Amino acid sequence: MCSSWVVAVFCCLGQLCADQSLKPQIAAPQLATNNPTLTTVALEKPFCVFDSSLHPNKSYTIYLYAMKESASATSSLVTDGSSKPLDSTFQQTNGGQLGPYKAAAFHVPSCATPPRLVDAGDVSKVSDVLKQYLFRVGDDGTCLYDPNFLDVCNPPLAPDTTYRFKYVLIDSTEGTVKDQTLWSDPIKTRRVKHASQVDTWPGQRSGAMIVITSILSVLLFLLLAGILAAVSWAVRRAEGPSAEARCTPQTAQPSDPRPEVGSK
């Protein structure tokens, strides 16, 4: 049976699809919890955004570009001066510091036939359905170090860093840009928490509190051990006299003197 929140989320998403602004949107909390993370950002895929630019008998691909907000505004173009899309990589742009890099390439999501809601009701299929609606930037931790990797590399983002994202519609036959969204609003990844700020205990106890708790636990253990040792010593002492009595050998009784044999 399809859970109510899944139905509500997908129905709402379908209702808002045609009205969304023409720029990448961060995924709704109902679709992606803990978003952004330290190194990833989950975005909604561009459903219905490029429908007016699509033509029958044509093949299209969506490119997703990422760029640090600190990059120069003059380097935010995603074409090479003509209508050809940039193929700049994460390494070439220093992780988006020098300009946009291509973080993903995927098929144009179908506005007419989105994933079936009935599949979202199956726990084993929820993950697959969400992947069709969302794309997680920074989700590949191995592509930078794999010499045999030939696909578009989508390496982890930098923590505590602000990024912008852009979807671009590519005519796969001609290899040209046909349409594109605006750059997204700034989206900042989470920062690494200081050890003293980490919630390591229910009630958000600090690191110092945990140290104190540990010390008290050790002292309690030593106290219990001392009590057990004292009780054991007292028991042994109480049993001491009776044990000695049981163990003391009986005094040897003198033997009867032999009668003296008189001399005749």
Side-chain angles (χ1 to χ4, degrees), residues 108-243:
V108 179
S110 174
C111 181
T113 57
R116 300 192 309 162
L117 294 181
V118 66
D119 290 339
D122 187 338
V123 176
S124 64
K125 296 181 180 180
V126 170
S127 178
D128 292 334
V129 172
L130 291 179
K131 286 180 180 178
Q132 295 180 61
Y133 272 109
L134 307 177
F135 183 82
R136 189 174 292 276
V137 188
D139 202 31
D140 192 338
T142 61
C143 61
L144 287 179
Y145 314 103
D146 184 355
N148 299 318
F149 188 84
L150 301 177
D151 204 351
V152 179
C153 188
N154 179 31
L157 303 174
D160 195 22
T161 304
T162 303
Y163 289 87
R164 290 180 183 269
F165 306 95
K166 177 191 282 283
Y167 285 124
V168 179
L169 179 67
I170 306 297
D171 184 325
S172 302
T173 304
E174 300 177 3
T176 57
V177 174
K178 289 300 181 183
D179 202 353
Q180 59 184 289
T181 67
L182 302 173
W183 282 100
S184 71
D185 294 330
I187 302 175
K188 190 174 186 179
T189 54
R190 294 188 179 184
R191 64 178 179 178
V192 180
K193 289 186 178 181
H194 189 272
S196 61
Q197 298 176 320
V198 176
D199 179 12
T200 54
W201 199 274
Q204 297 184 349
R205 290 180 171 85
S206 65
M209 192 66 177
I210 291 178
V211 172
I212 294 174
T213 303
S214 300
I215 293 175
L216 291 177
S217 299
V218 173
L219 292 177
L220 178 60
F221 171 78
L222 294 177
L223 177 61
L224 292 175
I227 292 174
L228 291 175
V231 171
S232 177
W233 178 80
V235 170
R236 290 181 180 178
R237 185 175 183 182
E239 293 179 348
S242 58

